Amino acid sequence: MKTLSSIWLKNPLVLALAAGVSSAAYAGPTIEFGDESSLQFNYALQVWATNSSYTSNNHDGDTTDIYLRRNRITLSGQYNDYVGFYAQLEAGNDSKAGQDDREVYYRDAYVTLDYSDEYRFIVGRFKNTFSRENLEACLEPLTLDRSDISYTPFAGTRDTGAAIWGNLADAKFQYRLMIADGREGDYVPIKSPRVTTRVHWSFLDPEYDYGYRGTYLGTRKILTIGAAYDYQADAAYADYENREEIKDYSAWTVDGFVEYPFKSGTYTFSAAYFNYDLGDAINLLPDPELPSNTQQDGIYVKAGYLFPNPVGPGRLQLFARHDGTEYDLPGGTLDRRVFSGGANYYIDGQRIKLTLEYRRNDYANPVESVPSLQDNYQTTFGFQFIL
């Protein structure tokens, strides 16, 4: 008998969409090639209008900025029943802070091998498999966007390499192992691969995709806990000038996600803890490109409520979140708490959506001469369209 996971995961196209937009529901135009091959086109746009209480590190005046937060064309499909592919072209943050005509580049480009429910492979450039929030589709979030702490210090949201992953116990248990580039360049003492592992267990409906969603809009009953570990040996010198004291990078996280529909509405709750460590190299004599977030820990907590009945022509969802980050740096100038809240209005599910969010950043030790390191706020109105 076929399990739920085998039905959904048999097609590599579903896998490809899972890592990109996390849903096969966004079915754009499709071209068929022979009996097994196909190519699908999708387009996604997010336009944000943000009012901030400061302009830059040198200017503390209010500013309003309208820009394309995400602007993507996706090509996905399958070569045959087992081999799929996914490529995503991006020109994000175009017009942000006056930076117009952003270059188009490949944000994702990979091939998948769907051998079985238990053994699946990805090769290319794709989302690193460390944090749940990074793996939550940016086109299907609960809040406006992710927390900074969900991004690892090296390689950004994506990395280039290979992963094996799969679902066991009727997709209740999922495992992942990814080997990728990690930190590269002349400042790295010894170029070792980055190794990331992640597991999760779903107590109710399974989360069987490679990617997650920030909200399922009441279509599933979810209770999932997860954990991950990230490691790269020989990532930096603690004494770069003398090329001494080589340090290893490591990070770990635990997270949980709950969403349950009741007659009174759908309730969503999500939380995670993060710890990043590089042997305190950032506080010694490191290279000039070593990121400050290599030595930090923090949390996020998110909650949402989706009204049970339509409000006008669409559905209304309220949300709130709290983020706390502590950097192991002298003076604690980057330590902060972030409070945000707002609403999503779904006119056609995630395809056409409006979002309004208010966010406040409270710094533990504000720097009077740097507006961006003082308490500040942003109010953002977002529009999303997906084809």
Side-chain angles (χ1 to χ4, degrees), residues 243-376:
R243 305 300 194 273
E244 295 178 349
E245 297 186 57
I246 296 176
K247 300 294 185 178
D248 299 337
Y249 157 78
S250 65
W252 61 275
T253 182
V254 291
D255 50 71
F257 180 89
V258 181
E259 183 165 284
Y260 205 94
F262 293 92
K263 289 184 178 180
S264 59
T266 298
Y267 299 84
T268 307
F269 179 81
S270 183
Y273 171 81
F274 299 84
N275 184 282
Y276 297 96
D277 181 75
L278 190 55
D280 204 36
I282 193 67
N283 290 313
L284 300 173
L285 299 170
D287 63 79
E289 292 189 0
L290 189 67
S292 58
N293 61 348
T294 54
Q295 206 73 39
Q296 66 166 336
D297 64 275
I299 63 165
Y300 72 72
V301 179
K302 300 185 289 185
Y305 170 70
L306 178 67
F307 286 82
N309 299 313
V311 178
R315 301 192 68 188
L316 179 63
Q317 182 182 53
L318 306 179
F319 62 80
R321 73 176 297 154
H322 168 68
D323 300 82
T325 308
E326 292 186 1
Y327 293 77
D328 189 8
L329 297 172
T333 57
L334 297 181
D335 296 350
R336 63 185 179 272
R337 300 289 182 268
V338 181
F339 305 89
S340 59
N344 296 312
Y345 190 66
Y346 302 96
I347 299 174
D348 184 13
Q350 299 283 4
R351 287 178 176 271
I352 302 178
K353 180 181 72 171
L354 305 175
T355 299
L356 181 65
E357 181 181 89
Y358 174 82
R359 167 177 172 153
R360 181 172 180 84
N361 299 287
D362 291 340
Y363 283 85
N365 300 283
V367 180
E368 294 184 3
S369 60
V370 183
S372 63
L373 296 180
Q374 301 171 17
D375 295 350
N376 60 76

Side-chain angles (χ1 to χ4, degrees), residues 1 105 144 216 243 356 375:
M1 179 180 295
Y105 65 96
L144 184 69
Y216 293 89
R243 305 300 194 273
L356 181 65
D375 295 350

